[in-house]
């Protein structure tokens, strides 16, 4: 462990940049004065306020995605020192304990829009595919929802915290642009809606969406996903559950033939 | 499907609630948002959403009480018919959320669990852990996705609203927006445009709000002729933690679950807080407000924290900070119970401060949090219920026909101070009532439907926006927009937040003019045609500078104290006499002054854009159900004010009855 960083220290930040989707990536190095309480977002803000590289070249500010700045919107996923995580909850003091330099790069499993901004629309499309919603009859006032026990709530809430950040998809060996695998996050959402007393009524629709190519059987059970999820979504549990339920669903369909 | 289209700008709770309701009503929706709607600022809301519920009802609570608490909390500056309607809808809104699958915490019997929030004596807040906003937003996002899959909603994410399109009669006919990747500018013709674009905390630099909360969209509507109401009412939350980029909130839920605010009785006590014995702790909110304790409304809690810190009790030598204590020793509540109910905020503190707040008290600071002010919107009162006529196209409509505002972007529900957990409610409520309002509008469109409009109208609007963009991109002066923003934030936070005075406000306006001049000389470090975030930010900075002036001038003009707007120069001195008669006389004086202040200032501020700056006027507030009264919250020593006020009201009523005889 190094000594606490003092004011006056200069951070070296290595950023992998790319001007447009079709362009070649390149690297730029920036020097940013250290401040206490800094996170990676404030490092990027400092670069925007003075977009000059370490060798004195004026450049454009680095483009990146963020909104909430408190690890709840899912926007700011990136590779920080090679590890996928949220930039907003990544504190500089912690990074400095790993080494003197900070490196930032975009996620690799999604198309780069510019610099650290990637296009994750594939994840939102997947939520349509697994019909991740409760098909209520109407929004009119027809009374309260079903009674739910604390136990059920405690099973659903952690699944419902998924912020579609894509960290789990990034580390999944089965998920990439050459494969159709839907990825861990949407599978967990299917599991969530199948737990809900009303969602259950349309459980087979969700299961069937996960039974074909690109579905649950493409998961190699590497369990990389669950290790990186910043919201601790119980991905392995959900994958196991959907795996079992799709098997039962297949048997049911075979019997009904 | 109806042949009319609606454009909704913004996909936070308000925008999504409107989108799903309109889709159910078979009205086609274009949904425009700068961020994927699932990443909207509403995800940040932690503590919960208010409604009268089974438990409070059993204690005698009613929708009326919720209404009363909201109006008293807003110091009577909220028009009462819309607030009344909202409070009567609250249980229905929560029932709907429950049916949509929001994983609310449960009681042992399977009911929705409840907790207490500020400004009420009832446990009226339901919650999903400490990430209620996220859970509500996801439920609505899922419903909108369902309609998107059916083709009733079309989403334009990473698109930025640039302004409404008005025809030559001043009717809104759609809007212009820009693709934030390709920078394409496009017109979206529509028969109604709903702005659900949230608050404007970024004007204060660092706040508890998200990065898109610049108020840019509201500013653009204001610039086009929409009135901006009550700009000077900005909520400063008492309990946040500082960061280099953001001030992160520690929800009021912490106090709702028994968290206690204190400072050491000895100024600058060097001991670790855990080592300070009970008797040497000053629980100033509990001592001064025995009835509400730590759950006085936010404006009061924030001012009290400021006051003790100003007196030298701050627990951090560099700023104004106090302890918020969740340890079992202070609360008497077991750690595992709090972990279940407050998980997300405990994690936030642990993640960003590196300390477990269940093992030692948190250090917390006030932070800009919410804009009570916003675009002025209309309503139509229902003569029978005293609430709203829901089939009126006037509800939530700005003064520009066809242009609506909902959610934090409007000014309607919270008066001079918002109560905790009432915002999620007002957002969803306003979104849902857009169904009947828009249906009514479409039955009888003023000036006919949009497809009769000439293409020229839209081409010209797009042309103007393109010119403005080109002008911005040409800027190559020496000023950096991000640095200017930092200065703007520091200025506004210093002079236009908790304590305001006219000399500083005047000085702020001078400095804002200077910042405005420097803005003209700014240079864009990126002038490229692809995903140009600097362009978007610089445009929003111009809007923030404009709104900042409206806020500061509104504050300068309002010479009184009301809710979050506090000007000590105009506060009415409280009764202090020892001798009972004299004390009563002082209280009478106090009440007279308070009455006179209401006569003059119980009015909505209206700002209208002109090329020379905002033009201000005032409009009476509709207080048709609950008469204004002094807002003491049972402050120790202020009992005499309540007593005298009551007696005088009774006397006046008696005289009125006698005169009628
Ligand atoms: C940390 C925190 C905690 C809170 N906790 C609570 C709580 O517990 N209970 C409670 O009741 N309230 C709470 N609030 C307040 C509440 O969260 C907000 O007032 C509310 O979520 C606002 O919702 P909205 O729908 O109006 O707008 P937002 O959720 O802010 O959404 C605005 C939308 O507009 C879009 N947008 C903005 N500008 C443009 C533009 N120019 N072009 C296109 N799109 C645009 C954005 O992309 C976004 O989709 C909290 C607030 C904060 C900051
Ligand atoms: S278990 Fe492995 S293969 Fe399956 S989703 Fe997770 S990371 Fe991918
Ligand atoms: S499951 Fe976790 S890692 Fe994956 S998208 Fe959701 S929050 Fe992110
Ligand atoms: S900015 Fe929202 S998760 Fe980081």
């Amino acid at each position: 462990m190094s000594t606490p960083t003092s004011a006056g220290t200069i951070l070296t930040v290595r950023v992998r940049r790319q001007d447009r989707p079709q362009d070649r990536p390149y690297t730029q190095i920036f020097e940013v004065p250290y401040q206490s309480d800094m996170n990676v977002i404030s490092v990027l803000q400092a670069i925007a306020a003075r977009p000059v590289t370490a060798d004195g070249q004026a450049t454009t500010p680095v483009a990146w995605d963020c909104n909430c700045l408190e690890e709840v919107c899912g926007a700011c996923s990136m590779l920080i020192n090679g590890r996928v995580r949220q930039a907003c909850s990544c504190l500089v003091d912690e990074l400095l304990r790993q080494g003197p330099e900070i490196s930032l790069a975009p996620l690799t499993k999604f198309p780069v829009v510019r610099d650290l901004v990637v296009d994750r629309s594939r994840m939102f499309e997947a939520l349509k595919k697994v019909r991740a919603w409760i098909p209520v009859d109407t929004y009119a006032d027809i009374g309260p929802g079903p009674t739910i026990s604390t136990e059920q709530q405690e099973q659903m809430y952690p699944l419902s915290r998924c912020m579609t950040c894509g960290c789990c998809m990034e580390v999944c060996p089965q998920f990439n642009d050459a494969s159709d695998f839907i990825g861990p996050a949407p599978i967990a959402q299917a599991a969530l809606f199948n737990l809900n007393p009303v969602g259950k009524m349309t459980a087979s629709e969700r299961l069937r969406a996960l039974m074909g190519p690109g579905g649950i059987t493409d998961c190699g059970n590497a369990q990389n996903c669950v290790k990186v999820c910043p919201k601790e979504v119980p991905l392995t549990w959900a994958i196991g559950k959907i795996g079992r339920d799709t098997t039962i669903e297949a048997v049911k369909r075979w019997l009904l033939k | 499907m109806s042949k009319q289209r609606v454009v909704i700008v913004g996909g936070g709770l308000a925008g999504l609630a409107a989108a799903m309701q309109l889709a159910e009503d078979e009205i086609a929706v274009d949904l425009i948002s700068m961020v994927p709607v699932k990443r909207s600022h509403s995800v940040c809301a932690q503590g919960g959403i208010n409604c009268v519920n089974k438990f409070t009802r059993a204690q005698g609570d009613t929708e009326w009480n919720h209404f009363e608490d909201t109006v008293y909390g807003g110091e009577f500056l909220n028009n009462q018919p819309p607030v009344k309607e909202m409070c009567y809808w609250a249980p229905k809104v929560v029932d709907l959320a429950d049916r949509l699958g929001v994983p609310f915490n449960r009681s042992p019997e399977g009911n929705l669990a409840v907790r207490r929030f500020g400004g009420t004596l009832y446990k009226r807040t339901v919650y999903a852990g400490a990430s209620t906003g996220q859970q509500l937003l996801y439920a609505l996002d899922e419903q909108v996705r369902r309609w998107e899959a059916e083709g009733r909603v079309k989403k334009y994410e990473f698109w930025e609203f640039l302004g409404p399109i008005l025809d030559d009669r001043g009717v809104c006919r759609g809007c212009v927006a820009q693709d934030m990747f390709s920078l394409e500018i496009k017109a979206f013709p529509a028969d109604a445009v709903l702005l659900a674009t949230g608050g404007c905390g970024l004007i204060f630099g660092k706040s508890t709000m998200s990065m898109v909360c610049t108020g840019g969209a509201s500013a653009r509507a204001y610039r086009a002729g929409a009135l901006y109401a009550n700009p000077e009412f900005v909520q400063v939350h008492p309990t946040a933690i500082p960061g280099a980029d953001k001030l992160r909130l520690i929800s009021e839920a912490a106090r709702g679950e028994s968290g206690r605010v204190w400072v050491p009785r000895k100024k600058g006590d060097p001991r670790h807080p855990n080592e300070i014995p009970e008797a040497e702790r000053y629980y100033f909110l509990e001592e001064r407000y025995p009835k509400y304790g730590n759950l006085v409304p936010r404006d009061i809690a924030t001012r009290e924290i400021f006051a003790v810190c100003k007196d030298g009790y701050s627990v951090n030598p560099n700023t104004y900070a106090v302890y918020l204590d969740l340890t079992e020793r202070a609360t008497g509540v077991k750690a595992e119970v709090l972990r279940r109910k407050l998980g997300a905020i405990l994690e936030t503190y642990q993640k960003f401060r590196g300390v477990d707040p269940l093992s030692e008290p948190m250090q917390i600071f006030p932070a800009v949090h919410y804009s009570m002010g916003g675009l002025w919107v209309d309503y139509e009162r229902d003569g029978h219920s005293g609430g709203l006529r829901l089939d009126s196209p006037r509800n939530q409509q700005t003064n520009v026909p066809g242009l609506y505002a909902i959610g934090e972007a409007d000014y309607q529900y919270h008066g001079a101070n918002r109560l905790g957990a009432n915002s999620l409610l007002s957002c969803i409520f306003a979104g849902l009532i857009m169904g009947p309002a828009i249906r009514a509008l479409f039955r009888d469109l003023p000036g006919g439907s949009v497809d009769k409009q000439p293409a020229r109208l839209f081409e010209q609007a797009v042309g103007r926006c393109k010119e403005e963009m080109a002008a911005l991109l040409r800027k190559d002066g020496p000023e950096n927009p991000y640095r200017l923003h930092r200065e703007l934030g520091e200025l506004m936070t210093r002079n236009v937040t908790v304590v305001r005075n006219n000399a500083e406000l005047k000085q702020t306006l001078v400095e804002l003019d200077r910042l405005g001049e420097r803005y003209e000389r700014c240079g864009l470090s990126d002038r490229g045609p692809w995903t140009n975030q600097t362009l978007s930010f610089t445009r929003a900075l111009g809007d923030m500078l404009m709104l900042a002036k409206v806020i500061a001038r509104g504050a300068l003009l309002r010479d009184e104290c009301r809710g979050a707007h506090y000007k000590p120069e105009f506060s009415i001195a409280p009764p202090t006499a020892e001798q009972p008669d004299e004390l009563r006389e002082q209280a009478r004086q106090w009440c007279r002054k308070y009455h006179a202040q209401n006569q003059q200032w119980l009015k909505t501020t209206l700002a209208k854009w002109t090329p020379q700056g905002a033009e201000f006027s005032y409009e009476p507030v509709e207080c048709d159900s609950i008469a204004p009264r002094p807002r003491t919250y049972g402050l120790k020593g202020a009992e005499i004010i309540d007593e005298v006020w009551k007696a005088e009201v009774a006397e006046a009523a008696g005289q009125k009855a006698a005169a009628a005889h």
Side-chain angles (χ1 to χ4, degrees), chain A residues 41 64-77 86-89 163 165, chain B residues 39 43 211:
Chain A
I41 298 288
W64 85 95
D65 208 354
C66 71
N67 196 27
C68 71
L69 306 192
E70 53 190 53
E71 201 190 74
V72 66
C73 80
C76 66
S77 321
Q86 304 309 113
C88 61
S89 55
M163 55 184 183
C165 67
Chain B
R39 310 204 194 285
V43 291
M211 293 311 282

Side-chain angles (χ1 to χ4, degrees), chain B residues 569-649:
Chain B
E569 296 166 76
F570 298 91
S571 75
I572 309 173
T576 49
E578 299 276 321
Q579 214 267 330
D581 286 346
E582 211 177 310
L583 184 72
R584 180 164 292 270
E585 182 47 34
Q586 283 180 342
R588 263 195 217 110
Q589 291 292 340
W590 193 100
C591 290
R592 222 158 287 150
K593 285 185 190 153
Y594 187 71
H595 183 72
Q597 173 182 299
N598 279 342
Q599 294 285 323
Q600 192 184 353
W601 284 114
L602 184 47
K603 288 181 185 142
T604 300
T605 308
L606 300 177
K608 181 175 180 296
W609 184 87
T610 78
Q612 293 78 42
E615 204 174 271
F616 281 84
S617 61
Y618 295 86
E619 153 184 287
V621 178
E622 186 155 10
C623 292
D624 55 335
S625 294
I626 301 167
R629 65 174 193 279
R631 185 172 175 268
T632 59
Y633 283 98
L635 171 67
K636 241 188 174 161
E639 298 84 355
I640 185 75
I641 292 179
D642 291 329
E643 196 187 311
V644 166
W645 184 270
K646 249 190 221 149
E648 290 188 353
V649 168

Side-chain angles (χ1 to χ4, degrees), chain B residues 346-361:
Chain B
L346 304 177
E347 280 164 28
T348 298
Y349 195 81
Q350 171 92 48
K351 240 172 212 164
F352 290 97
R353 307 299 323 159
V355 177
D356 176 6
L358 296 180
S359 68
E360 64 178 74

Side-chain angles (χ1 to χ4, degrees), chain A residues 29 31 52-57:
Chain A
I29 297 173
E31 287 177 342
V52 177
T53 61
D55 48 14
Q57 299 292 314

